């Protein structure tokens, strides 16, 4: 089937929800519209003038980028600067640009998990928690014949998901409901002034806190009663933690220098920087954070990492890391290029699952601004 940008984005945002993004991160639609049909998607790490040219040459109509192209506000829309001219070119050629940044970094099986897998760590956990999704339990009393419809409405509104692999979870218990409608009531069952007693079921579902109002609205819209009886309570045992970076154990522990060489090969970089007091120290536990993760290094230490891999490490932070006994490997920010292959794979899977009539490709350009002598 032919699709619009919205089809792709809806599927993507179920995988990497926008609420996971860091505050102020300009993710999402950057140029164009999601409502036009698309036939060719190009995945890229960066949207640079040369990437836009590549898209035009390949008749791409949708660019899916990791780094938002308008990260800082533009001062003008003059086409006399190459950086701005690229926006003119995008608009002239009707190319939509959408960016998934920290929501892709943070989501489960996203950027940071791809990087962790690439360097060979297992039993990974989150390095820096950014968000904890807490849940409520909703219990609603409903006549048995209406229970299925109400359950359906609750789960369609987002209730009843436990973990990533179980949806439409609910529990039902049968009991006796009692009520007396008083003057002014318009009861679905029973008469004003008479006590009613009937069989009802209690349907229970979990609801993420952020969806509770939507789910209650769905309940009220579907429930047959004038005044549906329901309870909402806080549950303590269920929450989903999300965050940046991953920490885990090396499948094959090795001396630091050897591991640094491995990282260099895995990410295919021509050189990398490292910080260590002991090149021969055995590396067993590794933290990794895509992008510029120097500011989170204390979390790598707290999680007992022997080595922290991240990009853009700043000189004085490097001194602090060394003084704190943390070994660091900085292979640059460009290792996030891994997202091109991974997103292309993901979109190709969705294409065959959903029978999308669309072509998917990755930018063939290297957008690393640095070269090394
Ligand atoms: Zn980045």
């Amino acid at each position: 089937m032919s699709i619009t940008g919205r089809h792709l984005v809806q599927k993507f945002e179920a995988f990497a929800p926008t609420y996971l993004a860091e505050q102020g991160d300009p993710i999402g639609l950057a140029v164009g519209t999601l409502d036009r049909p698309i036939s060719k998607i190009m995945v890229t790490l960066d949207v640079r003038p040369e990437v836009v040219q590549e898209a035009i040459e390949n008749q791409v109509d949708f660019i899916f980028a990791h780094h938002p192209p308008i990260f800082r506000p533009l001062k003008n829309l003059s086409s006399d600067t190459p950086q701005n001219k690229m926006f003119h070119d995008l608009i002239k050629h009707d190319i939509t640009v959408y960016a998934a940044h920290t929501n892709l970094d943070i989501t489960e099986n996203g950027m940071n998990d791809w990087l962790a897998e690439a360097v060979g760590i297992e039993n990974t956990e989150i390095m820096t928690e950014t968000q904890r999704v807490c849940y409520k339990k909703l219990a609603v009393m409903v006549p048995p014949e209406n229970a299925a419809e109400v359950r359906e409405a609750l789960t369609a509104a987002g209730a009843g998901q436990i973990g990533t692999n179980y949806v439409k979870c609910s529990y039902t218990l049968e009991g006796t409901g009692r009520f007396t409608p008083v003057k002014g009531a318009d009861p679905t069952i029973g008469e004003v002034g008479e006590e009613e007693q009937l069989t009802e079921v209690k349907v229970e579902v979990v609801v993420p806190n952020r969806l509770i109002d939507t789910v209650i609205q769905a309940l009220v819209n579907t429930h047959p009663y004038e005044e549906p009886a329901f309870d909402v309570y806080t549950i303590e045992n269920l929450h989903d933690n999300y965050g940046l970076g991953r920490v885990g154990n090396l499948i094959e522990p090795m001396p630091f220098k050897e591991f640094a060489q491995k990282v260099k090969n895995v990410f295919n970089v021509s050189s990398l920087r490292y910080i260590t007091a002991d090149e021969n120290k055995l590396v067993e536990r590794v933290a990794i954070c895509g992008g510029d993760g120097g500011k989170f290094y204390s979390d790598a230490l707290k999680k007992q990492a022997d080595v922290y891999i991240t990009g853009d490490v700043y000189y004085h932070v490097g001194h602090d890391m060394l003084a704190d006994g943390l070994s660091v490997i900085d292979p640059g920010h460009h290792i996030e290029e891994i997202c091109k292959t991974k997103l292309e794979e993901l979109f190709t899977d969705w294409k065959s699952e959903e029978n999308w009539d669309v072509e998917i490709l990755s930018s063939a350009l290297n957008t690393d601004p640095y070269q090394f002598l």
Side-chain angles (χ1 to χ4, degrees):
M1 72 174 201
S2 69
I3 61 162
T4 63
R6 196 168 298 283
H7 285 98
L8 173 70
V9 163
Q10 268 168 0
K11 187 91 180 161
F12 179 79
E13 289 180 356
F15 164 74
T18 53
Y19 63 78
L20 292 182
E22 291 281 82
Q23 229 181 358
D25 188 10
I27 58 161
L29 185 62
V31 179
T33 169
L34 295 180
D35 289 325
R36 235 164 32 85
I38 55 171
S39 58
K40 218 175 207 184
I41 303 164
M42 185 169 87
V43 179
T44 184
L45 174 59
D46 301 296
V47 184
R48 306 292 312 143
E50 61 275 21
V51 174
V52 172
Q53 285 315 308
E54 184 190 16
I56 294 168
E57 278 156 30
N58 285 290
Q59 273 127 40
V60 162
D61 42 25
F62 193 100
I63 295 180
F64 193 105
H66 178 50
H67 291 139
I70 308 177
F71 200 69
R72 293 185 188 87
L74 297 174
K75 291 205 174 65
N76 59 61
L77 269 174
S78 153
S79 57
D80 290 348
T81 55
Q83 180 79 21
N84 275 358
K85 184 178 173 296
M86 98 181 173
F87 293 111
H88 287 254
D89 291 340
L90 287 165
I91 292 164
K92 257 190 237 157
H93 290 86
D94 253 339
I95 300 173
T96 297
V97 182
Y98 174 93
H101 190 213
T102 46
N103 52 326
L104 178 61
D105 291 330
I106 290 170
T107 199
E108 208 179 323
N109 299 319
M111 177 73 86
N112 280 299
D113 289 302
W114 297 334
L115 293 169
E117 187 195 359
V119 295
I121 59 179
E122 58 180 6
N123 301 324
T124 51
E125 54 178 293
I126 290 162
M127 183 184 76
T128 302
E129 188 177 306
T130 54
Q131 209 174 117
R132 182 168 286 203
V133 174
C134 296
Y135 287 79
K136 298 213 179 281
K137 172 79 51 104
L138 171 67
V140 54
M141 277 51 81
V142 59
E145 61 273 23
N146 301 98
E149 193 192 349
V150 168
R151 279 200 319 266
E152 200 55 48
L154 299 179
T155 53
Q161 176 160 0
I162 300 179
T164 37
N165 297 330
Y166 295 89
V167 296
K168 296 190 173 186
C169 308
S170 66
Y171 182 79
T172 302
L173 189 67
E174 197 177 282
T176 304
R178 281 170 219 94
F179 54 87
T180 304
V182 294
K183 197 169 168 243
D186 178 18
T188 313
I189 298 168
E191 300 293 331
V192 170
E194 285 176 27
E195 185 180 314
E196 186 64 41
Q197 181 164 314
L198 75 169
T199 299
E200 286 180 329
V201 294
K202 178 157 90 165
V203 176
E204 294 187 321
V205 284
V206 294
V207 186
N209 283 3
R210 70 177 187 286
L211 294 180
I212 192 69
D213 292 340
T214 317
V215 170
I216 289 174
Q217 196 55 55
L219 156 66
V220 170
N221 292 346
T222 326
H223 200 290
Y225 289 180
E226 187 180 23
E227 289 286 356
F230 62 90
D231 305 318
V232 176
Y233 36 101
T234 299
I235 48 180
E236 304 282 347
N237 63 315
L238 184 67
H239 50 79
D240 302 329
N241 302 351
Y242 294 95
L244 287 163
R246 299 292 181 263
V247 192
N249 299 325
L250 264 192
I251 295 166
E252 265 182 84
M254 61 185 87
F256 175 83
K257 195 74 184 283
E258 199 180 310
F259 181 59
Q261 184 64 51
K262 181 187 166 174
V263 170
K264 184 174 177 232
N265 299 343
V266 161
F267 294 118
N268 195 23
V269 287
S270 55
S271 68
L272 54 71
R273 303 187 298 172
Y274 63 84
I275 297 166
T276 189
D278 179 4
E279 289 186 341
N280 299 313
K281 183 182 160 185
L282 189 70
V283 177
E284 294 186 272
R285 196 159 164 78
V286 174
I288 186 162
C289 183
D292 153 25
K295 52 191 169 295
F296 305 121
Y297 89 86
S298 59
D299 294 321
L301 273 172
K302 270 186 225 142
K303 301 267 177 178
Q304 270 133 20
D306 302 313
V307 173
Y308 181 33
I309 305 170
T310 194
D312 298 343
V313 174
Y314 177 63
Y315 183 84
H316 296 297
V317 175
H319 279 152
D320 294 344
M321 289 164 157
L322 193 59
D324 283 337
L326 182 65
S327 294
V328 179
I329 296 173
D330 179 351
H333 198 133
H334 194 254
I335 61 168
E336 290 185 319
E337 192 187 37
I338 195 169
C339 74
K340 293 200 286 190
T341 325
K342 293 292 184 178
L343 287 171
E344 193 182 336
E345 276 170 25
L346 203 59
F347 295 171
T348 306
D349 285 350
W350 294 345
K351 173 188 155 145
S352 56
E353 261 169 45
E354 310 272 338
N355 206 13
W356 289 346
D357 187 12
V358 72
E359 244 184 276
I360 300 149
L361 62 128
S362 292
S363 166
L365 300 176
N366 179 336
T367 51
D368 194 345
Y370 299 114
Q371 296 184 54
F372 302 90
L373 274 177

